[in-house]
Amino acid sequence: MKLLTLVSIMIVLILSAFVGKVDIQLSALFEWDSIDSTIFFQLRLPRVLLAFLAGGILALSGLLFQTLFRNPLTTPFTLGISGGATLGAAIAIILGLHSSFLSFSAISLFSFLGALLTVGLIYYFSKKLTSTTDHRLILVGIALSFFFSSLLLILYYLSDFEESYLIMRFTMGALDTVGYGTTIPLVFGTFLILFIAYRYKEELKLLSISYEFAYLKGVNVDRMMITMFVAISLAVGGLVSITGPIGFVGLIIPHIIKLLFKQSTDKLLSITFISGGIFLVLCDTLSRALPTVSEVPVGIITSLIGGIIFIYILVSKD
Amino acid sequence: MLKINSLGYDIKQKPLLKEISFHLQKGENLTILGANGSGKSTLAKILCGLIPSEKKVLLAGEYIEKMVGAKRASYINYMPSKFSLYDPYITLKEYLNLSLYKETPKEKQLKKILSLLGLLKYQDNYAHELSSGEGQLLLLASTMMQSATITIFDEPTSNLDPKKTKLVFDVLEHSNMLKQKILITHDLQLAYRLNYPILYIEDTKATYFKEGFFKEETLKQYFDETIMIVDDNIVETL
């Protein structure tokens, strides 16, 4: 069964790499200097990989955050991480920074710094609050998000035409990449989030009953929540700095998986990661396949399709 | 075993509890009585560390806030007055197995407790589908699984029909899975039958009765004319 799932995932991933504006000729695929081969191995495959890891991280971080804060509306972005990352990117764009470090652009680096700064802020505020059960931490995150988006609007207002296009394009999320360099932070992020999820699997299940329950059974809940929060945020921050914020995956995939499988969180970790990955790969494939002049940003497709599927599953359950 | 020293607790600068001290010896039980809002549950949560305090609660000779989680859990547990859980897809069996964090599952014990409380037929159902009364029994089952040295029961019979109330009484009275018990209740018949020493909380102060609380003049002092003892039973008059 596991092997079958694995094989079908591989098939979906490889097949989706054949979809796009340019048709790939199978015969030319393994002639290394052919255009087809370059497009397939340097553009399409890294892009599919990027989409799979990004979708996986987003979905799993959504599931973990929802359980950690026991709030079904929490997303990887609720706590302001993506707001901070987007603001960082916008600052780099306005400053006209075009240099790059290794294979990462100044925009990505600034964006990651923005995410890190937000994690630091949230960590600082969480220490001020008496207990992390407090919904005030989520409210602080939401307030930070609004604060960042106001700053973003100011930058947007001050920017010229080209800059404002770049900022807007970043906020829509994109998965285009050349080569495998940009996928490296996501590979790290994937390891980090999977490691932390499985490391705290048992504690997560205790916490999914209640804060008090986990505490009374002997879990050091505050330390666990902060550790998980920081690790997940790093993974998400790294992701957003590469792809921009891609909405909705982190909210709906965990809920769809919960509704379909009806099991406790600890049993749904890998299936949520895989489903998020496949969902984003399919959405991105669709964005390439649509007969439009330029590609439709993938964030728009995830929200459109995801929203419809989500409402259908919610309503048909009753 | 459990000692608190001139403990105070304020809510919005107004004292709820003041200068509360007592010492629960090894093997002793206790019933905490008091009107709604007098601070019984707050006291209970301070005792088990859910509400943080500094150098006020000594558990087995150690300050509770300094204790390692697993050790604390083996010494003290708290059963809340209402059953609730976030994840709707946790079964009764899973819930009870979670009561033993980092310990080996005790399959036999689990079956025994479930059948004693009449929950065996639901063992694979989702816990959140239980009625409020059954939920309260599941909370009780969880405390039996954990079997801490001291367990605090916060109004364990508040949602129960008479048969289930009797069941809870029998468990508190006879079960060897529960060791020392601290009971918070408004059910005076339950308190009377269990006959633990009484700690009565009123106007931020606590009064301790090793025995003799259930006498006509004491009852009259605390409950006016609403409570009487008739034929060795507590009767509420309305």
Side-chain angles (χ1 to χ4, degrees):
Chain A
M1 185 63 200
K2 273 188 178 156
L3 192 71
L4 196 71
T5 324
L6 214 63
V7 170
S8 24
I9 292 168
M10 295 305 282
I11 291 174
V12 169
L13 296 186
I14 291 170
L15 279 184
S16 62
F18 281 95
V19 181
K21 293 275 183 284
V22 180
D23 287 330
I24 307 278
Q25 299 299 319
L26 261 182
S27 55
L29 196 57
F30 294 102
E31 291 166 27
W32 297 118
D33 43 7
S34 71
I35 295 280
D36 289 41
S37 167
T38 310
I39 291 179
F40 189 83
F41 288 105
Q42 290 302 313
L43 295 177
R44 298 272 177 82
L45 265 192
R47 180 167 178 156
V48 169
L49 184 65
L50 192 69
F52 183 75
L53 297 181
I57 292 175
L58 286 171
L60 183 56
S61 64
L63 179 72
L64 295 177
F65 273 146
Q66 283 150 22
T67 310
L68 220 47
F69 293 103
R70 278 145 286 123
N71 183 329
L73 294 178
T74 318
T75 75
F77 300 154
T78 312
L79 293 157
I81 318 281
S82 96
T86 310
L87 187 66
I91 291 174
I93 292 169
I94 296 282
L95 292 177
L97 300 174
H98 296 300
S99 55
S100 55
F101 178 70
L102 298 176
S103 53
F104 307 113
S105 66
I107 297 178
S108 288
L109 293 174
F110 265 64
S111 175
F112 190 57
L113 280 180
L116 281 186
L117 202 75
T118 316
V119 175
L121 274 176
I122 296 271
Y123 182 77
Y124 171 76
F125 288 128
S126 77
K127 290 275 169 196
K128 294 254 156 199
L129 297 173
T130 41
S131 137
T132 24
T133 47
D134 217 306
H135 290 304
R136 276 182 295 178
L137 191 60
I138 293 176
L139 292 177
V140 166
I142 292 172
L144 273 179
S145 294
F146 278 105
F147 181 71
F148 290 143
S149 62
S150 301
L151 291 179
L152 184 71
L153 279 177
I154 295 175
L155 291 182
Y156 197 63
Y157 184 72
L158 294 175
S159 61
D160 63 28
F161 188 72
E162 194 200 335
E163 289 163 356
S164 62
Y165 175 76
L166 283 174
I167 295 175
M168 189 185 75
R169 199 60 194 77
F170 186 86
T171 59
M172 283 181 177
L175 292 162
D176 41 308
T177 176
V178 181
Y180 295 89
T182 47
T183 60
I184 291 169
L186 276 82
V187 173
F188 277 118
T190 301
F191 276 119
L192 184 62
I193 199 166
L194 285 174
F195 172 76
I196 206 82
Y198 279 95
R199 158 74 183 76
Y200 282 114
K201 199 173 140 176
E202 181 80 9
E203 288 80 358
L204 209 58
K205 191 170 184 180
L206 284 149
L207 194 59
S208 77
I209 289 180
S210 69
Y211 180 96
E212 288 79 9
F213 189 87
Y215 171 85
L216 289 166
K217 307 307 155 208
V219 180
N220 188 337
V221 186
D222 288 336
R223 193 173 65 198
M224 168 219 175
M225 283 181 76
I226 290 292
T227 313
M228 286 200 86
F229 165 71
V230 171
I232 299 164
S233 299
L234 286 178
V236 172
L239 157 83
V240 176
S241 69
I242 305 289
T243 66
I246 298 171
F248 233 51
V249 182
L251 178 69
I252 55 160
I253 297 295
H255 284 293
I256 291 176
I257 296 297
K258 275 252 163 198
L259 285 165
L260 291 180
F261 287 85
K262 295 182 178 302
Q263 284 183 332
S264 57
T265 300
D266 59 305
K267 298 198 193 76
L268 301 174
L269 299 173
S270 44
I271 186 76
T272 303
F273 185 92
I274 292 169
S275 309
I278 294 208
F279 176 72
L280 197 55
V281 167
L282 293 179
C283 284
D284 185 50
T285 307
L286 193 63
S287 91
R288 271 179 283 141
L290 284 177
T292 47
V293 181
S294 60
E295 280 173 16
V296 182
V298 69
I300 294 176
I301 297 194
T302 55
S303 303
L304 274 179
I305 298 185
I308 292 167
I309 298 175
F310 189 38
I311 292 174
Y312 172 76
I313 291 181
L314 276 179
V315 173
S316 69
K317 280 284 153 182
D318 284 331
Chain B
M1 178 54 63
L2 180 68
K3 202 171 170 180
I4 60 171
N5 226 329
S6 72
L7 172 98
Y9 188 78
D10 295 354
I11 286 182
K12 290 178 186 153
Q13 272 103 49
K14 265 179 72 184
L16 178 69
L17 301 169
K18 242 175 15 195
E19 302 274 312
I20 306 239
S21 302
F22 72 80
H23 189 175
L24 190 76
Q25 305 281 351
K26 202 171 175 204
E28 255 186 347
N29 300 316
L30 183 72
T31 294
I32 302 177
L33 298 177
N36 297 117
S38 58
K40 303 182 298 295
S41 295
T42 305
L43 177 63
K45 286 179 182 171
I46 294 173
L47 291 180
C48 63
L50 268 175
I51 296 179
S53 64
E54 226 174 277
K55 298 197 172 175
K56 294 287 180 197
V57 181
L58 263 173
L59 182 59
E62 223 178 304
Y63 288 119
I64 191 161
E65 65 273 19
K66 301 267 184 257
M67 247 180 177
V68 180
K71 192 175 174 194
R72 168 172 44 77
S74 76
Y75 274 112
I76 199 156
N77 189 17
Y78 169 76
M79 170 180 155
S81 56
K82 276 207 183 74
F83 174 71
S84 74
L85 80 175
Y86 171 72
D87 194 329
Y89 302 120
I90 286 185
T91 66
L92 263 71
K93 221 170 144 181
E94 286 180 294
Y95 188 99
L96 286 184
N97 279 325
L98 285 173
S99 309
L100 298 170
Y101 171 55
K102 288 195 172 159
E103 281 180 58
T104 41
K106 295 176 180 157
E107 191 67 26
K108 251 175 138 178
Q109 186 107 330
L110 187 137
K111 286 262 151 57
K112 203 173 139 194
I113 295 172
L114 281 174
S115 71
L116 178 69
L117 296 178
L119 295 171
L120 195 58
K121 55 184 178 292
Y122 303 127
Q123 63 168 333
D124 293 316
N125 292 17
Y126 296 126
H128 97 125
E129 289 169 350
L130 294 175
S131 72
S132 61
E134 290 159 348
Q136 210 155 14
L137 290 183
L138 182 61
L139 286 173
L140 178 67
S142 171
T143 65
M144 293 165 81
M145 268 314 260
Q146 189 171 336
S147 190
T149 310
I150 301 173
T151 309
I152 307 174
F153 300 89
D154 197 345
E155 300 191 35
T157 56
S158 58
N159 288 308
L160 301 185
D161 57 46
K163 265 186 172 166
K164 292 198 181 75
T165 304
K166 173 79 167 76
L167 189 60
V168 172
F169 169 76
D170 287 339
V171 167
L172 288 174
E173 182 84 333
H174 301 297
S175 173
N176 53 11
M177 288 174 238
L178 299 172
K179 296 160 192 167
Q180 286 181 254
K181 289 146 275 191
I182 297 179
L183 171 72
I184 296 175
T185 190
H186 290 292
D187 184 341
L188 290 172
Q189 175 76 352
L190 181 69
Y192 182 57
R193 281 279 169 270
L194 286 172
N195 200 25
Y196 302 157
I198 303 280
L199 191 75
Y200 195 91
I201 301 185
E202 190 180 35
D203 297 330
T204 74
K205 295 263 186 301
T207 317
Y208 181 77
F209 297 83
K210 178 93 183 153
E211 50 200 20
F213 180 81
F214 291 99
K215 275 196 228 146
E216 210 171 311
E217 53 278 29
T218 326
L219 290 178
K220 201 169 172 185
Q221 181 194 339
Y222 286 113
F223 304 105
D224 297 330
E225 308 281 336
T226 56
I227 299 294
M228 289 191 304
I229 302 183
V230 179
D231 290 341
D232 202 29
N233 277 303
I234 296 278
V235 176
E236 278 181 58
T237 58
L238 295 173

